[in-house]
């Protein structure tokens, strides 16, 4: 029997780097949400685990044990022919590979040792709004977080995460407030997020200045624009999905080489 799973894009609305442990791991405080766009996986029972990849970003994706999907399938303990429809750009700061692995584990009801597949895999298991702290292992679900319209833009550059962290000069920065406010409207969220940060945005900009072009283009349409994760994908928030859709069409026409997607975050 064929079964399916969805691996949504992960968006860091905030990303405060609050320290670095002696073993090199960075401490974070991040408000993480998930989009209604992402990769898709299909599973069909087989004699052994196999992976096929297609989709707009299939090029260069390994199909052997290097792929976190295959690693997750082994962890799940079932043999399947897995097909991955790769709709999210690589190395884009939106958790593509981590979300793919988490989708496999979620599909087969496996959650133990998810962090072995990557620091972002545990937060991707729930695939709903959460506060992520520590090294990605302290997770607080935010069940009352309402959906918000957004536009995601990636200029087509890949920035290795370790390179961005290496360029981060100040490793100990203030966390978010201990108690997060109740954010009932897009206006409330935008106003509060403007007070927060992504501490990886400045070092990412120093490595890849085109990110600033994306932020500038988005800022003409929204009061809140920011980079997600370690980049290079950026987002802008809007008060309606219709407004987000119109802005996405405008940006896609002006920048045909950019990946531009309207979405709803929750």
């Amino acid at each position: 029997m064929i079964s399916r799973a969805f691996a949504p894009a992960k968006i860091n609305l905030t990303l405060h780097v609050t320290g670095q442990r002696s073993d090199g791991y960075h401490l974070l405080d991040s408000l993480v949400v998930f989009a209604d766009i992402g990769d898709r996986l299909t599973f069909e029972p087989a004699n052994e685990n196999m992976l096929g990849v297609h989709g707009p970003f299939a090029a260069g994706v390994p199909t052997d044990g290097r792929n976190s999907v295959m690693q997750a399938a082994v962890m799940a303990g079932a043999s399947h022919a897995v097909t991955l429809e790769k709709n999210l750009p690589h190395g884009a700061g939106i958790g593509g590979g981590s979300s793919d692995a988490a989708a496999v584990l979620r599909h087969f009801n496996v959650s133990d040792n998810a962090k072995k597949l990557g620091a972002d895999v545990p937060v991707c298991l729930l695939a709903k709004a959460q506060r992520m702290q520590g090294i990605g292992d302290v997770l607080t679900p935010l069940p009352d977080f309402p959906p918000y319209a957004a536009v995601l833009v990636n200029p087509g550059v890949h920035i290795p995460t370790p390179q961005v962290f290496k360029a981060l000069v100040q490793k100990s920065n203030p966390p978010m407030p201990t108690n997060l406010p109740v954010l009932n409207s897009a206006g409330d969220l935008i106003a509060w997020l403007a007070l927060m940060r992504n501490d990886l945005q400045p070092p990412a900009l120093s490595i890849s200045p085109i990110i600033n072009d994306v932020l500038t283009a988005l800022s003409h349409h929204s009061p809140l624009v920011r980079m997600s994760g370690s980049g290079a994908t950026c987002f802008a928030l809007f008060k309606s999905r219709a407004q987000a859709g119109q802005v996405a069409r405008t940006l896609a026409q002006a920048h045909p080489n950019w990946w531009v997607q309207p979405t709803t975050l929750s």
Side-chain angles (χ1 to χ4, degrees), residues 108-120:
F108 292 108
N109 295 312
V110 176
S111 59
D112 294 340
N113 299 318
K115 63 182 179 182
K116 288 185 176 180
L117 298 178
D120 278 345

Side-chain angles (χ1 to χ4, degrees), residues 18 26 31 40 42 55 82 85 103 108 116 173 187 206 252:
T18 60
H26 290 85
L31 177 54
R40 298 184 180 277
T42 302
V82 184
E85 180 182 297
F108 292 108
K116 288 185 176 180
N173 303 286
S206 71

